[in-house]
């Protein structure tokens, strides 16, 4: 276990549904990330939070809405998704937002299927 | 922006043989290069990393080399074992005033017993 926990592990949702993915870490890390992993494609960084403040939004569609209420919790709110949004969504955390201390610990991911 | 290319996409070796995975990056300002291993049903886990001020780093059967001039870095696994079978990702990290890690597309390694 890496210390980063994601729930649920699997999610099937219709295109009109609203759901949320949850991530939590109790490692004392200050930076948290959402990544999208699609088959045969590189991991795509979606959002970065540092001390609860969003610092990166990689041109992610507004149907994905992140929320970081504190340094230990990160949510990804989903609404009106498309079938092409089906993927493994990975949460990660790292001690600091800096290349000097950048080891990122990943959760096990949420396998999302949009039908 | 940064682009990381990883080869091969699939690699099959016999147990005991060595495996080499190669990556290239485009932005010469990148200064941190981690390698992750992802087993089935799990998230990626860091296995080794290297910073731009060194050319080689070794940890037991795993080693990473970095050629800053050519913008190449490689993962070497010696004496492979079946439990080394997984998907391996290289990445390049760039501090742009924010922070961004760009991942390669991954290499699926099969170690045949």
């Amino acid at each position: 276990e890496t210390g980063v926990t994601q729930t649920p592990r699997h999610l099937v949702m219709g295109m009109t549904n609203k759901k949320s993915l949850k991530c939590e870490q109790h490692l004392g890390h200050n930076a948290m990330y959402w990544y999208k992993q699609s088959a045969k494609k590189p991991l795509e960084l979606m959002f970065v939070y540092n001390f609860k403040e969003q610092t990166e939004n990689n041109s992610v569609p507004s149907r994905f809405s992140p929320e970081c209420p504190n340094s230990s919790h990160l949510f990804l709110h989903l609404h009106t998704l498309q079938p092409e949004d089906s993927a493994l969504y990975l949460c990660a955390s790292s001690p600091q937002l800096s290349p000097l201390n950048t080891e990122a610990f990943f959760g096990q991911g949420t396998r999302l299927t949009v039908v | 922006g940064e682009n990381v290319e990883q080869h091969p996409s699939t690699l099959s070796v016999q147990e005991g043989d060595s495996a080499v995975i190669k990556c290239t990056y485009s932005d010469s300002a990148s200064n941190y290069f981690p390698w992750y291993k992802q087993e089935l049903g799990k998230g990626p886990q860091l296995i080794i990393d290297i910073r731009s001020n060194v050319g080689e780093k070794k940890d037991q059967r795993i080693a990473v080399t970095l050629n800053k001039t050519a913008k190449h870095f490689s993962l070497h696994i010696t004496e492979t074992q079946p439990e080394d079978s997984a998907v391996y990702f290289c990445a390049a990290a760039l501090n742009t005033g924010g922070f961004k890690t760009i991942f390669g597309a991954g290499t699926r390694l099969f170690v045949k017993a």
Side-chain angles (χ1 to χ4, degrees):
Chain A
E1 295 298 326
T2 63
V4 179
T5 304
Q6 288 186 244
T7 53
R9 292 291 309 278
H10 301 272
L11 178 63
V12 179
M13 60 186 288
M15 289 189 282
T16 59
N17 291 160
K18 287 186 180 181
K19 297 286 184 183
S20 295
L21 310 185
K22 180 182 177 182
C23 175
E24 61 181 300
Q25 56 89 9
H26 298 287
L27 301 169
H29 291 174
N30 295 314
M32 296 188 77
Y33 315 81
W34 279 116
Y35 284 89
K36 177 183 179 181
Q37 187 175 33
S38 304
K40 299 183 180 179
K41 293 177 67 175
L43 280 164
E44 299 173 56
L45 179 65
M46 300 175 71
F47 302 103
V48 180
Y49 277 82
N50 187 38
F51 291 100
K52 303 186 301 177
E53 299 298 321
Q54 184 176 313
T55 61
E56 292 275 348
N57 176 341
N58 265 9
S59 303
V60 181
S62 60
R63 57 186 184 268
F64 295 91
S65 174
E67 178 190 1
C68 189
N70 55 61
S71 294
S72 299
H73 294 86
L74 185 64
F75 295 90
L76 187 63
H77 303 301
L78 316 171
H79 64 97
T80 59
L81 295 192
Q82 305 297 313
E84 58 265 29
D85 296 323
S86 299
L88 181 69
Y89 288 84
L90 290 161
C91 171
S93 70
S94 64
Q96 304 292 342
L97 195 68
S98 156
L100 297 180
N101 197 2
T102 47
E103 179 178 350
F105 292 78
F106 284 85
Q108 292 184 302
T110 295
R111 174 69 61 187
L112 174 68
T113 304
V114 181
V115 297
Chain B
E2 175 67 283
N3 183 48
V4 176
E5 294 193 2
Q6 183 171 347
H7 299 280
S9 56
T10 305
L11 179 59
S12 183
V13 300
Q14 203 67 36
E15 182 178 3
D17 288 350
S18 295
V20 180
I21 302 170
K22 299 182 178 182
C23 289
T24 61
Y25 61 100
S26 59
D27 194 329
S28 56
S30 292
N31 55 4
Y32 175 68
F33 306 92
W35 285 88
Y36 286 85
K37 175 183 180 182
Q38 186 174 23
E39 297 175 329
L40 194 63
K42 297 184 178 180
Q45 288 199 328
L46 181 76
I47 56 171
I48 195 168
D49 57 14
I50 191 167
R51 302 189 190 279
S52 58
N53 58 343
V54 298
E56 185 173 357
K57 184 176 179 180
K58 190 173 182 179
D59 182 5
Q60 299 183 338
R61 297 187 296 107
I62 295 173
V64 58
T65 59
L66 171 65
N67 182 329
K68 285 180 59 181
T69 303
K71 291 186 279 188
H72 290 173
F73 58 115
S74 300
L75 178 72
H76 304 253
I77 306 174
T78 58
E79 301 172 28
T80 54
Q81 301 167 4
E83 52 265 37
D84 294 330
S85 297
V87 179
Y88 292 81
F89 294 94
C90 64
L94 175 65
N95 184 6
T96 58
F99 171 71
K100 192 168 290 187
T101 300
I102 305 300
F103 285 82
T107 296
R108 185 171 296 278
L109 174 65
F110 296 96
V111 179
K112 295 177 285 187

